[in-house]
Amino acid sequence: MTTANTTYVERLLKRTGLFDDSKLTEIMAVVRSDGDSITDAVVRQSGLREDEFFEKLAPVIGLSFVQLSSLDIDSAVLSCLPTKAVFQYKVIPLEVINGALLIATSNPFDADLVDAIRLATGMRVKLALSTSEEISQASKGFYGVGAETVDRMIQDDRYEVGVDDDLSKMDISSLNQEASVVKFVNQIIWEAVQQGATDIHLEPMEDAFRIRYRIDGVLHETPVPKELVRFQSAITSRIKVMANLDIAEKRLPMDGRIGLRVQGEDIDIRVSTMPTVYGESISLRLLQRKGQFINLQGLGLSDRDSDIIKTVVHRPNGIILVTGPTGSGKSTSLYAFLTEINSVDRRILTVEEPIEYEIAGINQVLVRPDIGLTFARSLRAFLRQDPDVIMVGEIRDQETAEIAIQASLTGHLVFSTLHTNDSAGAFTRLLDMGVEPFLVASAVEAVVAQRLVRLLCPHCRQPVDTDLEYLKKLEFPIDKLAGGHAYGVNGCRECRKTGFKGRGGIFELLAVSEEIESMVISRSSSNEIKQQSIKEGMLTLRDDGWDKVINKVTTIEEILRVTEENAQ
């Protein structure tokens, strides 16, 4: 930037009223020394957000400031600018006005930008302001994730799959590979990690190749270029290469694993392929090896449940079970329990499949059925390792159940999970496995049933009109609802316009009393056990969910989505 241009820019920035002379000097020094754009330097040096800066700058330089998230741009306008130019210059075409193309940019002071766009389109160019984040989201939304890479594959007619033996040692967030297919797969994984997705599903359709991310427990379709279906086989083969699977075998389901680094974090990806009518469907489960696990206080237990859990996890022996469907946060709860009691005077051993979090001070074993290292075999070995606490990832069969119960009866504290719909169902599940009722009654100390619900974004949640008659039918405690209003979604930049941010648990904690022990021994039904627990003060999943609604944590719809109709 020339001295004349620098002086002109300084005058414009001063007219915004946002900066004094000393701050302007700092900003321009950064631009000269580091080569930052004016916008980047302003954000870095002043602490302002881009939208705050642009709202003041727009009238000064005579440009409009647009919110791209609220616009529906015509496809004919989008096609005016080559895909490569959109991503290279970080702009979005908005509309054609009297033969001139209006584009949104976050860098209005780039002297070469207008000329570059004019050469790419052959049209006169006008500018509008928008934040870099909105431009990035809009480019993915309108053109599709990895659109520039697909565009390059089409131009190059590239279908090859490059094998990168050292991929697991590299960080894909900084990877700059030549092969277009390799780059596209990296972009899909990178985008999923950025959005906090737990799963990626690549699904071949009759005339499309659909990609969906599971975010906060809900599937969201990711916009991708329509031409992607042409490269379905190449993308599938690339993922198979990364997972060390046979790319020639397309008739049978296969499982594999990929180890990657994203922004310095190790990501373990479980790969599952399934042959379908239109090709192989691929599911990727993303697991962070060293994640931010939640402590006991962060689980969201009610005061009653929290007090009970703190008591039972400090007992010297017994079994504590966590139940729920896949993806309900059972492992997170178990890790929270272990973290609560993890100390140098306790020897803690775990056997898991997979190991979702690595915890310092705990000996963690990965199940390897292919070599005979099962849950049951690991448990037997644990009993010769002088443990105080044992965690079993899941009780799947009678053998594992009986060993776990014997371990608890011989002075060990055991944590594990079961797949049942509610807390009382854990007892009938163990009995169905063939475990003697008196052993179950003697060993089990508590059962926690749980589900995960999406949490309302604290920045944009708002009161919503509530049908009180409908709530009465749901047995909702209306008298506890402040102002007679529940809270619902709105959507803002903090939550990516979804209205939700993160997930939390709702719980049903059944503490085993003498009465419940007697009922288990006499093989009472799970419903009878549940009703007795409710009499003793247990909150059902839906009851706990209503408390979360009353506390403005989640919505009525979320609770109904994850709990059964007969939860009461």
Side-chain angles (χ1 to χ4, degrees), residues 188-228:
I188 290 297
I189 297 173
W190 164 248
E191 184 70 20
V193 173
Q194 287 291 93
Q195 293 191 33
T198 56
D199 300 84
I200 307 172
H201 299 287
L202 298 95
E203 303 162 313
M205 316 299 284
E206 183 177 6
D207 54 2
F209 191 47
R210 184 171 69 178
I211 297 179
R212 294 191 288 176
Y213 296 154
R214 187 175 296 279
I215 303 171
D216 290 338
V218 178
L219 282 173
H220 298 269
E221 184 169 357
T222 298
V224 293
K226 294 180 181 179
E227 299 83 2
L228 188 65

Side-chain angles (χ1 to χ4, degrees), residues 282-383:
I282 299 180
S283 292
L284 308 178
R285 167 64 61 89
L286 309 181
L287 301 168
Q288 290 189 333
R289 294 174 186 163
K290 292 184 179 178
Q292 293 293 321
F293 51 87
I294 300 173
N295 58 24
L296 193 58
Q297 290 73 31
L299 286 179
L301 292 162
S302 66
D303 291 340
R304 170 196 176 269
D305 292 352
S306 182
D307 291 341
I308 293 174
I309 284 293
K310 286 179 181 178
T311 299
V312 296
V313 299
H314 284 96
R315 287 180 181 170
N317 54 61
I319 292 182
I320 300 169
L321 296 172
V322 182
T323 74
T326 300
S328 59
K330 298 187 298 295
S331 296
T332 300
S333 293
L334 288 180
Y335 286 123
F337 299 163
L338 291 176
T339 304
E340 174 72 13
I341 61 175
N342 186 17
S343 62
V344 293
D345 60 346
R346 283 178 184 258
R347 178 161 167 77
I348 302 175
L349 303 175
T350 76
V351 54
E352 309 168 55
E353 185 189 17
I355 296 174
E356 296 189 26
Y357 300 104
E358 296 176 3
I359 307 177
I362 293 178
N363 299 277
Q364 296 172 271
V365 176
L366 177 66
V367 168
R368 295 283 302 277
D370 53 323
I371 60 172
L373 185 60
T374 61
F375 282 116
R377 186 169 181 178
S378 299
L379 266 179
R380 286 198 195 91
F382 281 3
L383 296 178

